[in-house]
């Protein structure tokens, strides 16, 4: 080739080689990126006006870019913050469900207890006057213990109720035998005959069944709402791993660095990133769903097939039955007690003279419903019914919300990636960010859970190291689920005492191997005969004592019977 031709061609080829680069740089202005970056609240001093070489980038493609090192760092932190907010926002429904429903149920149940206590007090003051008022602290103690049990206190329901009837027998035994003086030891012997003599008929057995079943269901249910609330609050506060943060930055803000701030991630791309970042949360789902199912079972116990009127109306009859049984059988009861515990000493003449007309001649009469006291707001019973109906609506509402919260943790990636603020949506699969450019995302979508992320193309996940925090929540749900199943079968469960941080313990209801008789007929053991000088090692008596404590228990128990059913 002649030298003059070579002299012309070589400069021209050099010019042609430099033209595309110059045109490319001129075409890729960072003006759109500057506008979007500034809208995030960042300083425009960080961003160039035109693309620069991207060798400094650590996450985004190292090509010509609008991002400086400072920008990549800030946008990386921004992506982490937005992800945390997205998870918390997406789980808002389940968190508020447990927070608000726990608050409502707890308020209703406590109000039910308060109104039951007030109703009983009003009725007894009017019906029995001073005889009741002199012993009113016994009823207060009874309700205090029931409330403490409900809040997780260390109260054995069956023992407490057994003690209640035993002490009632002691008190009424003195009233029907005022001519005798009874020592504390003698009265303790009397109380041991409660089960054997059945002075109150079958009322104590039936009421014990109703009270234990009702309170077991209510306490376990409210504790379940507490556990659900705590787990939801904890799990919704995520701490993304370094690998997750890199993937989030690449998905959400590397389009900025490539000069494509308006291009959103492809939907499937988002799913793989979220499934990698939320792999441990998805593993919570199995135990969470079992927990929700158990909560729904106990909620069935709280609704019950009978209305409040059918529960409340027989109360006066039941009370009269218990008290009148004691009076009608007083001679037989006294004779058997004297035979077993020995002949008591006669009371001093002066005391006997006072006691006979004051106590012995006082006959407990059946409570007349027409004499039920009223308040400015209507009868106490009406208030109980109002509270109960409101509580029933609350339980129904809770059940519906619980059903909606199933599979909430495994569905988080799908919920987040449906957000139009996050992805381009499923209808725009060609014009979306796939992690490298604006084009279709080709990799397959990973399955849920930690072990399925071994080949996740977007997030580096160590499947050999499950998140310890999430595992703790799974264990908390598993323990609560077992307690809910026990409560559904009528078996008492242990809870942490919220008042003294000691472990609360309760008794079983008599069900064996998770099987209960259909009519709640529990097997009871008759108390053995007691010799005059014999004292059993354990006493079932407590400090509850009142001439009319039976009314207290019945009113309390039957008003809550429907909580179990």
């Amino acid at each position: 080739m002649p030298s003059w031709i070579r002299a012309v061609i070589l400069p021209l080829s050099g010019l042609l080689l430099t033209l595309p680069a110059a045109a490319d740089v001129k075409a890729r202005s960072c003006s759109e990126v500057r506008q979007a970056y500034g809208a995030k609240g960042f300083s425009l001093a960080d961003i160039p006006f035109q693309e620069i070489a991207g060798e400094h980038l650590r996450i985004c493609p190292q090509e010509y870019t609008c991002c400086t090192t400072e920008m990549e760092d800030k946008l990386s932190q921004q992506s982490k913050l937005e992800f945390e907010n997205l998870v918390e926002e997406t789980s808002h429904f389940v968190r508020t469900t447990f927070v608000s429903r726990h608050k409502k149920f707890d308020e209703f149940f406590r109000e039910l207890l308060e109104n039951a206590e007030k109703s009983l007090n009003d009725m007894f003051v009017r019906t029995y006057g001073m005889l009741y008022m002199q012993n009113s602290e016994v009823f207060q103690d009874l309700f205090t213990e029931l409330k403490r049990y409900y809040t997780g206190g260390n109260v054995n329901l069956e023992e407490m109720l057994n003690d209640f009837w035993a002490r009632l027998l002691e008190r009424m035994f003195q009233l029907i035998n005022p001519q005798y003086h009874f020592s504390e030891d003698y009265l303790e012997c009397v109380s041991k005959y409660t089960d054997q003599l059945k002075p109150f008929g079958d009322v104590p057995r039936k009421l014990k069944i109703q009270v234990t079943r009702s309170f077991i269901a209510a306490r376990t249910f409210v504790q379940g709402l507490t556990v659900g609330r705590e787990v939801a609050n904890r799990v919704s506060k995520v701490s993304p791993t370094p690998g997750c943060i890199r993937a989030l930055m690449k998905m959400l803000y590397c389009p900025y660095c490539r000069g494509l701030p308006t291009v959103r991630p492809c939907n499937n791309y988002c799913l793989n990133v979220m499934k990698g970042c939320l792999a441990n949360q998805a593993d919570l789902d199995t135990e969470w769903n079992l927990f929700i199912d158990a909560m729904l079972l106990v909620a069935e116990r709280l609704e019950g097939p009978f209305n409040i009127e059918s529960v409340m109306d027989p109360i006066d009859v039941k009370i009269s039955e218990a008290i009148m049984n004691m009076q009608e059988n007083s001679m037989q009861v006294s004779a058997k007690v004297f035979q077993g515990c020995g002949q008591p000493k006669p009371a001093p003449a002066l005391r006997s003279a006072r006691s006979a007309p004051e106590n012995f001649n006082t006959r407990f009469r059946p409570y007349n419903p027409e004499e039920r006291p009223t308040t400015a707001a209507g009868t106490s019973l009406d208030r109980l019914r109002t509270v109960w109906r409101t509580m029933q609506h609350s339980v129904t509402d809770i059940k519906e919300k619980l059903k909606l919260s199933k599979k909430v943790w495994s569905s988080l990636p799908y919920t987040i990636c449906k957000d139009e603020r996050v992805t381009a949506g499923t209808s725009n699969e060609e014009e979306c960010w796939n992690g490298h450019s604006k084009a279709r995302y080709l990799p397959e979508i990973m399955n849920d859970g930690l072990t399925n992320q071994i080949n996740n193309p977007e997030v580096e996940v160590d499947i050999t190291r499950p998140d310890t925090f999430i595992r703790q929540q799974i264990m908390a749900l598993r323990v609560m689920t077992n307690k809910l199943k026990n409560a559904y079968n009528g078996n008492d469960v242990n809870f942490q005492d919220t008042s003294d941080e000691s472990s609360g313990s309760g008794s079983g209801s008599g069900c064996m191997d998770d099987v209960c008789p259909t009519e709640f007929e529990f097997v009871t053991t008759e108390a053995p005969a007691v010799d005059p000088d014999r004292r059993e090692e354990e006493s079932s008596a407590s400090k509850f004592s009142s001439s009319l404590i039976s009314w207290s228990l019945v009113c309390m128990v039957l008003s809550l019977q429907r909580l179990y059913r």
Side-chain angles (χ1 to χ4, degrees), residues 107-120:
E107 287 177 351
F108 291 149
F109 194 88
R110 289 174 186 268
E111 186 174 2
L112 189 68
L113 294 181
E114 293 292 340
N115 279 276
E117 183 176 10
K118 184 178 185 302
S119 178
L120 182 145

Side-chain angles (χ1 to χ4, degrees), residues 113-170:
L113 294 181
E114 293 292 340
N115 279 276
E117 183 176 10
K118 184 178 185 302
S119 178
L120 182 145
N121 184 74
D122 291 345
M123 294 174 186
F124 272 43
V125 167
R126 174 150 184 171
T127 306
Y128 301 109
M130 287 300 299
L131 189 61
Y132 162 72
M133 295 172 67
Q134 290 171 352
N135 299 281
S136 61
E137 76 282 353
V138 175
F139 298 93
Q140 295 170 4
D141 292 342
L142 175 61
F143 279 97
T144 296
E145 288 299 290
L146 290 173
K147 291 172 188 175
R148 194 162 71 86
Y149 172 85
Y150 166 70
T151 56
N154 186 10
V155 178
N156 186 305
L157 270 184
E158 289 196 4
E159 288 183 4
M160 184 192 75
L161 299 178
N162 288 338
D163 293 347
F164 170 82
W165 291 106
R167 285 301 181 186
L168 177 60
L169 174 59
E170 290 180 20

Side-chain angles (χ1 to χ4, degrees), residues 27 205 239 284 334-335 353 363 365 493:
R205 184 188 66 84
S239 298
L284 188 75
S334 297
R363 302 295 292 175
R365 56 190 173 89
V493 290

Side-chain angles (χ1 to χ4, degrees), residues 102 165 239 441 447:
H102 172 273
W165 291 106
S239 298
Y441 182 76
N447 290 324

Side-chain angles (χ1 to χ4, degrees), residues 286-319:
T286 299
E287 204 62 52
W288 177 267
N289 293 338
L290 292 173
F291 162 71
I292 295 298
D293 288 339
M295 286 289 291
L296 292 172
L297 283 176
V298 177
E300 292 179 8
R301 295 295 197 212
L302 296 174
E303 288 181 310
F306 304 108
N307 57 45
I308 188 63
E309 288 82 3
S310 67
V311 175
M312 296 296 292
D313 284 347
I315 282 185
D316 44 17
V317 177
K318 294 288 185 182
I319 296 301

Side-chain angles (χ1 to χ4, degrees), residues 73 81 123 188 200 278 297 340 422 464 479 488 521 544 562:
D73 289 341
L81 178 62
M123 294 174 186
E188 184 178 344
F200 303 108
L278 298 170
L297 283 176
V422 179
T464 65
V479 170
Y488 177 76
E521 297 291 331
F544 296 123
R562 193 174 169 200

Side-chain angles (χ1 to χ4, degrees), residues 287-511:
E287 204 62 52
W288 177 267
N289 293 338
L290 292 173
F291 162 71
I292 295 298
D293 288 339
M295 286 289 291
L296 292 172
L297 283 176
V298 177
E300 292 179 8
R301 295 295 197 212
L302 296 174
E303 288 181 310
F306 304 108
N307 57 45
I308 188 63
E309 288 82 3
S310 67
V311 175
M312 296 296 292
D313 284 347
I315 282 185
D316 44 17
V317 177
K318 294 288 185 182
I319 296 301
S320 298
E321 178 185 348
I323 296 176
M324 295 306 293
N325 275 338
M326 174 63 186
Q327 295 181 94
E328 291 170 2
N329 299 318
S330 60
M331 295 187 66
Q332 297 93 317
V333 170
S334 297
K336 290 183 179 180
V337 170
F338 294 159
Q339 182 181 1
C341 298
Q343 190 69 23
K345 297 179 181 179
L350 183 59
R351 177 182 174 182
S352 179
R354 285 203 312 264
S355 298
E358 182 178 311
N359 292 328
F360 185 71
N361 293 333
T362 299
R363 302 295 292 175
F364 296 103
R365 56 190 173 89
Y367 182 78
N368 186 349
E370 299 300 323
E371 297 179 4
R372 181 174 288 122
T374 60
T375 64
T379 66
S380 298
L381 182 57
D382 288 339
R383 179 57 184 159
L384 270 176
R385 289 171 175 167
T386 300
V387 173
W388 176 255
R389 287 168 182 158
T390 307
M391 188 172 181
Q392 290 299 90
H393 292 151
S394 174
V395 172
T396 301
D397 172 67
I398 291 173
K399 283 179 62 178
E400 295 305 313
K401 294 298 189 296
L402 288 176
K403 292 175 184 177
L404 294 175
S405 71
K406 293 189 70 172
K407 297 183 179 180
V408 64
W409 306 113
S410 62
S411 65
L412 275 180
Y414 298 91
T415 306
I416 291 173
C417 293
K418 283 180 182 178
D419 194 327
E420 61 181 11
R421 297 171 301 174
V422 179
T423 69
T426 56
S427 62
N428 191 10
E429 296 182 356
E430 301 292 342
E431 302 292 319
C432 56
W433 174 254
N434 65 7
H436 303 281
S437 61
K438 185 169 69 171
R440 175 183 288 269
Y441 182 76
L442 298 178
E444 64 176 345
I445 302 174
M446 298 293 102
N447 290 324
D448 301 328
L450 184 64
T451 57
N452 290 315
Q453 307 311 310
I454 186 171
N455 294 318
N456 192 311
E458 309 304 336
V459 187
E460 296 178 8
V461 181
D462 186 353
I463 67 170
T464 65
R465 299 182 62 184
D467 186 280
T468 303
F469 180 75
I470 295 297
R471 299 298 137 176
Q472 290 173 349
Q473 308 315 307
I474 290 175
M475 183 56 65
L477 289 173
R478 186 170 299 160
V479 170
M480 190 65 238
T481 298
N482 288 333
K483 291 179 178 179
L484 287 163
K485 290 179 179 178
N486 281 328
Y488 177 76
N489 290 316
N491 300 317
D492 209 349
V493 290
N494 298 330
F495 287 112
Q496 189 74 13
D497 192 332
T498 55
S499 59
D500 57 12
E501 299 302 320
S502 63
S503 177
S505 63
S507 64
S509 65
C511 301

